[in-house]
Amino acid sequence: MSTFEGIPAGAFEFYAELEDNNNREWWLEHKDSYTSLVREPLTALLAELEPRFGPAKIFRPNRDVRFSQDKSPYKTAQGAFASAQEGVGYYLQVSADGLLVGGGYHSHTPAQLARFRNSVDASGTGESLRHIVDGIAAAGFAVGGEKLKTVPRGYDRAHPRAELLKHKSLSAGTDLGQPEWVSSPAAAQEIARLWEQLRPLVDWVGRHAAP
């Protein structure tokens, strides 16, 4: 297993070039660059962070174009998700824009969604989540996720946590660009620090929404 030395600037340059050359021929010519600049550094990084945040999956670079009008064969960003529970955990993405760090709850079976809404509705657990989300937003993270346009059926439109009830998934993240530390071993500590800020949200949804 290789030691993590940072995410090289070439990783971001790789995706800037891919955006202009999203075809199989270019990819095959530059596949070794993808491996050395993107996949191997992220694999080493996630292995270093695994004891604190759980095992991680690096998403496949190919797009599923079967039902898309856009037939570009490759994703223009490399994502990875570290998780101890299915659908709940910490996200990392490398693209031409730089580094994105996030975390939260991304899957929702009907049973999971019911548990989530019941916990948001209950005053104790619901207020706990509201304080967590407010704190994360105050720390500079953008709170997002799939949402309904209105409060779900069966809940008062004037519910004190109406906006949280609209969520079908709940996550938060921050776009970091290319900070000075990203290409050094210090990137592991910086990403871990940000993920720790998101841990209260991940822990809450892990207890109250996940299986």
Side-chain angles (χ1 to χ4, degrees):
M1 183 182 298
S2 60
T3 302
F4 176 66
E5 299 293 341
I7 301 171
F12 309 106
E13 295 166 4
F14 174 86
Y15 281 105
E17 293 183 31
L18 177 61
E19 289 181 355
D20 295 327
N21 300 277
N22 200 329
N23 59 73
R24 187 171 183 272
E25 291 73 24
W26 186 91
W27 180 271
L28 291 177
E29 284 183 21
H30 296 82
K31 189 174 181 179
D32 288 346
S33 296
Y34 166 75
T35 300
S36 62
L37 296 172
V38 180
R39 195 168 190 89
E40 288 179 350
L42 287 185
T43 298
L45 168 64
L46 295 165
E48 186 170 325
L49 297 176
E50 181 175 343
R52 292 172 66 179
F53 301 101
K57 174 183 179 182
I58 297 178
F59 301 140
R60 62 197 301 268
N62 306 76
R63 295 180 63 248
D64 184 351
V65 300
R66 290 174 298 172
F67 308 107
S68 173
Q69 291 184 343
D70 179 2
K71 299 301 181 182
S72 302
Y74 302 102
K75 299 172 184 175
T76 54
Q78 179 62 68
F81 193 64
S83 176
Q85 292 176 272
E86 185 176 355
V88 178
Y90 304 90
Y91 183 69
L92 183 69
Q93 178 180 286
V94 170
S95 71
D97 294 328
L99 188 65
L100 182 150
V101 173
Y105 169 52
H106 299 281
S107 68
H108 46 79
T109 66
Q112 289 171 333
L113 186 56
R115 285 194 293 272
F116 173 79
R117 287 175 177 166
N118 288 339
S119 296
V120 173
D121 183 39
S123 58
T125 51
E127 280 301 293
S128 173
L129 178 60
R130 186 178 67 80
H131 286 300
I132 289 169
V133 169
D134 288 349
I136 285 173
F141 292 92
V143 177
E146 185 181 355
K147 289 180 70 174
L148 300 174
K149 293 182 178 180
T150 60
V151 175
R153 187 175 302 172
Y155 295 95
D156 188 345
R157 291 186 178 181
H159 194 286
R161 292 172 296 282
E163 289 304 310
L164 288 173
L165 281 171
K166 293 178 184 178
H167 278 270
K168 298 181 71 175
S169 63
L170 181 61
S171 60
T174 181
D175 287 298
L176 300 170
Q178 297 182 44
E180 290 183 1
W181 47 257
V182 74
S183 59
S184 75
Q189 287 72 41
E190 292 295 331
I191 292 167
R193 179 181 62 82
L194 292 164
W195 277 358
E196 286 292 355
Q197 290 182 269
L198 295 170
R199 190 182 288 277
L201 174 62
V202 173
D203 286 350
W204 191 98
V205 292
R207 289 193 304 271
H208 300 294

